[in-house]
Amino acid sequence: MKLVPKNDQVLTAVCHPVDFANPPFDLVEFSQELVKCMYDNNGIGLSANQVGVPYRIFAMRGSPENFVCINPRVIMPSEETILLDEGCLSYPNLFVKIKRPRHVRVRFQTPNGETMTQMFTGISARCFLHEMDHMDGLVFYRHANDYHRHQAMNRLKKLERQLKRNEK
């Protein structure tokens, strides 16, 4: 399992819900592979469409265990927000300041079909919302205001120029 290129159309398409009565593949096995791919790429979250699978499934690091969320929904985001740098495995070296809710109450199914309701805070809430965006075909930097997006793109261009110079 590997990441699709950042220009792959699967990244901007809305993903399909998983029908547990007729799953498209072995959900437990796929979930294990998705978590492994997330770790192999040093991520804290990874959506199925980032590996070319257009279903509403994502993995995220957790403590004491990782989560695989299937058919996730946001029940209630907090009104309180926080502005932090955010990155994405599909867009290497791009970090953008994005405002997101500090807390989020969510519901999802596990690979075994159990329905869970959880409250995530801080980076876990941000990760959950970021992965939800992937499944809705939304690219994370679109949440940034114009100023922060422009700054991030300029930093990325500068880094890419430096990398090219170092290759010579």
Side-chain angles (χ1 to χ4, degrees), residues 4 7-8 26-27 30 38 40 43 46-47 53 55 62 65-66 71 83 97 106 110 113 115 151 164 166:
V4 298
N7 60 350
D8 193 305
D26 184 317
L27 296 171
F30 177 79
M38 175 182 67
D40 288 349
L46 183 64
S47 184
V53 179
Y55 285 93
E65 61 187 29
N66 299 311
N71 299 329
L83 182 69
K97 287 192 182 306
V106 300
T110 67
T115 299
Q151 272 192 319
K164 279 184 183 179
N166 292 343

Side-chain angles (χ1 to χ4, degrees), residues 16-164:
H16 308 289
V18 173
D19 178 0
F20 277 85
N22 187 24
F25 40 76
D26 184 317
L27 296 171
V28 172
E29 183 180 314
F30 177 79
S31 297
Q32 291 168 344
E33 291 177 26
L34 194 62
V35 168
K36 182 182 181 316
C37 187
M38 175 182 67
Y39 274 90
D40 288 349
N41 287 282
N42 296 314
I44 62 168
L46 183 64
S47 184
N49 64 339
Q50 290 178 274
V51 294
V53 179
Y55 285 93
R56 297 187 74 79
I57 304 171
F58 69 81
M60 63 185 255
R61 290 189 191 214
S63 181
E65 61 187 29
N66 299 311
F67 292 89
V68 173
C69 303
I70 302 174
N71 299 329
R73 294 183 301 146
V74 174
I75 304 300
M76 185 187 309
S78 67
E79 290 184 22
E80 182 184 5
T81 59
I82 186 166
L83 182 69
L84 289 174
D85 277 335
E86 195 168 314
C88 180
L89 292 176
S90 294
Y91 301 89
N93 301 316
L94 179 61
F95 298 94
V96 186
K97 287 192 182 306
I98 296 175
K99 188 184 293 188
R100 292 208 188 254
R102 183 179 294 270
H103 313 283
V104 65
R105 185 172 198 69
V106 300
R107 189 164 291 141
F108 59 91
Q109 291 168 285
T110 67
N112 295 322
E114 179 184 357
T115 299
M116 305 281 291
T117 301
Q118 297 264 157
M119 176 70 88
F120 291 116
T121 301
I123 197 71
S124 296
R126 179 171 295 272
C127 181
F128 190 98
L129 293 168
H130 177 106
E131 300 309 328
M132 285 280 302
D133 284 346
H134 273 297
M135 293 179 300
D136 292 331
L138 301 173
V139 178
F140 80 109
Y141 58 78
R142 297 279 183 222
H143 285 291
N145 66 34
D146 289 341
Y147 174 76
H148 289 129
R149 188 170 42 249
H150 184 71
Q151 272 192 319
M153 295 298 182
N154 284 342
R155 281 191 306 267
L156 180 62
K157 287 176 188 172
K158 184 177 179 181
L159 177 63
E160 288 172 342
R161 283 192 304 270
Q162 287 174 342
L163 292 172
K164 279 184 183 179

